[in-house]
């Protein structure tokens, strides 16, 4: 409690001292002019001082202002208590009311960013409403009470034009001269703001780019003010030089900040109206003076609004530019930002960081998982990068680093090892991502940039399989050949899909008694050449052609089945669906529609999916699998045991068939552990009523051992090689 009292007392004393000094000084500095009716205020500056102190201290300034104005009125005027109270009310109450209305309109931060923000509200309520309130209250007080002659300047109703001039002097005080008190007082109260003002408003205008303009502008303004304020009278000085002052400030709007514009305009305007022999040359009547003050007020509003609008547009331009150069989800600079960076920093090392499995995982966990991973990686890499080095986002599964230090390959390998040693968690689930990287020197942002980035992308993908770093400079010929080969293969695949170049092969899947079905395997026929899956499947996956490819395979098989009908007591064929196919919401619906159109029973075909799809948490994948089961398809899990599958997941698996991957079969005769794994899978599968198929069976010994362990179906070269479906 003591601390609060001390704080409030300190603020009161500080505000009171500042108010007393500012109001006293402002009375002395208030400019006047001699016209027909006598002396007239061109600006009543105590109003400027009062408003500045309110903007600085807020509601804590009310009592100091009341006390300070009461003391000053007592020193300067011989008033009775009633007259003193009434005068004090007329001077202060309208201003406080206007401030309260502004706070009501703008909220608790109404005093901040003066005069740059909320221009319309502040100009209306503080610049026009408060002066009008002061003048109206003075007029009403003069009507209802007998004021002494010394106050007639405030309240004389005999001359309408004089009252207009009096009102204009109050408006000028608020709009033009408030910054003249506000900024120096704020710097006095808060030295940190003085440093901020110097850093933001003064230093930029004396930068190398603006120095010539600033010095020339100051010299021109100083020369004009000296001529206008000199005691030498010339008939045409005001007519020709005063408009140049206005033009100078309109030009300065592009280079100066709004606070500096407001402060410098207040200083220049004070010299014009205080030493007004030439500024008011030829102004000999009340009407002429009212016109000049109206022009001054209008020019002030134009200058303030122009400064606000220009700097607002510049701020928006910077924001839009930043948004154009930044990925909105990850917050990282994008490819456009990389191009600009390379234009400014040629001869840098560009590194491509590849995130293996990110594309597949994002299909299961959603796009925000991809965003979260890239954010986490960027955060982890920041301590390993120098201050001027940057990280950029690329579409897909890559990030780009621009390094400028020594030994980029060693540093990049350290980054890759560091990332591979850490785990990224998504909703408390660890994400298994393997990292690889490539690097190369890029000379600026020329037309070959995108081609080089494509080469770096391919090379980093190769590096991620071994979690190492490859240099583009050492592999440029190989990379060019590989990327060109991929483009040619993509064109061949697209042409084969468009022209019906699918060739279906079938490989037998047999029980011990010889019964069973065939698995459909696909080849592509391009330009008379048969292309094997190891060449075209990576291209189909990479360029998102999986759904189209799978639907064509199924439709080709259905046409063959319709042309070769037989009684369908059990499955005749199994067909693989690629991971991306089941990620499409309408995949199951399209498959069911194809079987319905061709009149083929779903019991004739087994749908094979990967174990990643079987254990996926993706809503679309799970919905499609369930929809296929409900229609009557049997679901087989291909390559079981090599990736995500484990016994806990097998326990809750909803499928009909599991196919044990060949890695557990090829060495089963020599490795007892493989035999134990196969037997354990068979035991649990039988408990779940699942059928077990073993792949890659090539010897008679493997066949006998697998049947002994409980495998029901066998597939491999021992049972038969893939043959064209027509054979």
């Amino acid at each position: 409690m003591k601390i609060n009292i001390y704080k409030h007392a300190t603020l009161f004393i500080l505000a009171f001292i500042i108010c007393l000094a500012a109001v006293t000084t402002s009375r002395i500095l208030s400019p006047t002019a001699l016209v027909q009716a006598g002396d007239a205020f061109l600006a009543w500056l105590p109003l400027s001082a009062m408003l500045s102190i309110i903007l600085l201290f807020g509601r804590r300034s009310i009592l100091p202002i009341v006390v300070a104005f009461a003391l000053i009125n007592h020193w300067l005027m011989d008033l009775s208590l009633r007259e003193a109270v009434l005068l004090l009310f007329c001077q202060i109450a309208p201003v406080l009311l206007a401030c309260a209305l502004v706070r009501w309109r703008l909220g608790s931060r109404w005093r901040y960013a003066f005069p740059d923000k909320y221009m319309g509200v502040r100009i209306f309520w503080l610049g026009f409403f408060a002066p009008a309130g002061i003048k109206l209250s003075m007029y009403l007080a003069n009507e209802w009470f007998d004021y002494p002659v010394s106050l007639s300047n405030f309240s004389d109703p005999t001359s309408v034009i004089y009252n207009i001039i009096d009102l204009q002097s109050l408006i000028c005080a608020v709009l033009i001269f408030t910054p003249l008190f506000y900024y120096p007082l704020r710097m006095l109260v808060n030295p940190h703001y003085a440093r901020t003002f110097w850093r933001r408003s003064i230093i930029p205008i004396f930068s190398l780019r603006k120095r010539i303009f600033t010095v020339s502008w100051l010299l021109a303004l100083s020369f004009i003010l000296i001529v206008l304020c000199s005691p030498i009278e010339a008939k045409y000085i005001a007519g020709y030089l005063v408009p140049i002052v206005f033009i100078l400030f309109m030009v300065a709007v592009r280079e100066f900040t709004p606070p500096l514009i407001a402060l410098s305009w207040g200083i220049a305007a004070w010299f014009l109206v205080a030493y007004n022999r030439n500024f008011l040359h030829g102004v000999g009547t009340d009407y002429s003076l009212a016109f000049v003050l109206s022009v001054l007020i209008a020019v002030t509003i134009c200058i303030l609004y122009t400064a606000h609008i220009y700097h607002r547009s510049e701020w928006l331009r910077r924001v839009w530019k930043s948004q154009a150069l930044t990925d909105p989800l990850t917050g990282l600079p994008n490819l456009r930002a990389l191009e600009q960076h390379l234009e400014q920093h040629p001869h840098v090392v560009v590194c491509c960081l590849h995130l293996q499995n990110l594309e597949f995982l994002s299909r299961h966990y959603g796009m925000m998982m991809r965003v979260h991973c890239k954010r986490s990686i960027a955060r982890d890499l920041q301590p390993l990068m120098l201050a001027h080095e940057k990280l950029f986002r690329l579409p897909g599964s890559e990030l780009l680093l621009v390094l400028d230090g020594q030994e980029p390959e060693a540093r990049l390998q350290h980054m890759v090892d560091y990332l591979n040693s850490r785990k990224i968690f998504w909703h408390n689930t660890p994400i298994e991502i393997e990292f690889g990287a490539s690097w190369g020197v890029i000379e600026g942002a020329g037309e070959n940039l995108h081609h080089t980035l494509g080469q770096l992308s391919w090379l980093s993908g190769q590096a991620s399989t071994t979690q190492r770093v490859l240099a583009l400079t050492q592999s440029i010929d190989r990379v060019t050949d590989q990327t060109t080969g991929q483009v040619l293969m993509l064109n061949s695949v697209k042409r084969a899909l468009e022209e019906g170049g699918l060739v279906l092969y079938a490989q037998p899947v047999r029980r011990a008694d010889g019964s069973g079905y065939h698995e459909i395997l696909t080849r592509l026929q391009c330009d008379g050449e048969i292309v094997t899956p190891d060449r075209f499947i990576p291209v189909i996956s990479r360029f998102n052609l999986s759904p189209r490819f799978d639907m064509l395979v199924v439709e080709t098989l259905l046409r063959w089945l319709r042309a070769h009908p037989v009684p369908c007591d059990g499955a005749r064929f199994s067909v693989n669906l690629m991971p991306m196919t089941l990620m499409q919401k309408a995949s199951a619906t399209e498959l069911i529609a194809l079987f319905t159109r061709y009149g083929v029973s779903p019991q004739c075909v087994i749908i094979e999916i990967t174990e990643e799809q079987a254990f996926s948490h993706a809503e679309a994948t799970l919905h499609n699998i369930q929809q296929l089961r409900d229609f009557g398809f049997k679901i087989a899990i291909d390559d079981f045991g090599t990736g995500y599958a484990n016994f806990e997941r097998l326990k809750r698996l909803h499928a009909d068939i599991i196919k044990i991957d060949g890695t557990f079969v090829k060495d089963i005769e020599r490795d007892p552990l493989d035999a134990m794994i196969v037997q354990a899978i068979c035991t649990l599968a039988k408990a779940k009523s699942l059928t077990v198929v073993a792949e890659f069976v090539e010897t008679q010994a493997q066949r006998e051992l697998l049947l002994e362990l409980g495998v029901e179906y066998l597939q491999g070269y021992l049972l038969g090689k893939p043959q064209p479906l027509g054979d």
Side-chain angles (χ1 to χ4, degrees), residues 90-126:
C90 294
Q91 290 173 328
I92 299 175
V95 179
L96 296 180
L97 177 60
C99 292
L101 291 172
V102 173
R103 189 191 188 285
W104 171 67
R105 290 293 306 277
L106 303 182
S108 58
R109 296 185 62 82
W110 69 277
R111 297 184 289 121
Y112 299 95
F114 175 84
D116 189 29
K117 290 186 178 180
Y118 314 114
M119 296 282 294
V121 175
R122 284 172 167 158
I123 287 175
F124 177 77
W125 293 107
L126 300 179

Side-chain angles (χ1 to χ4, degrees), residues 72-85:
I72 292 173
N73 290 340
H74 177 71
W75 291 337
L76 298 178
M77 304 175 190
D78 184 16
L79 302 174
S80 65
L81 179 60
R82 187 189 69 168
E83 293 169 343
V85 171

Side-chain angles (χ1 to χ4, degrees), residues 497 500-507 518-525 530-531 533 536 549-561 564 573-576 605 721-727:
L497 295 180
L502 294 178
V503 180
L504 299 187
Y505 279 60
Q507 184 178 23
H518 288 77
E519 179 181 356
I520 294 297
L521 305 173
T522 309
R523 309 289 187 265
L524 289 182
Q525 188 171 13
I530 297 296
V531 183
F536 68 78
F549 173 78
D550 283 344
M551 292 301 168
L552 283 175
V553 170
V554 171
E555 188 168 8
T556 304
L557 175 62
L558 290 176
R559 282 199 297 265
W560 189 91
L561 285 171
H564 303 81
F573 298 100
S574 66
V575 178
N576 280 282
V605 177
K721 295 182 178 181
Q723 297 293 330
L725 185 59
D727 298 340

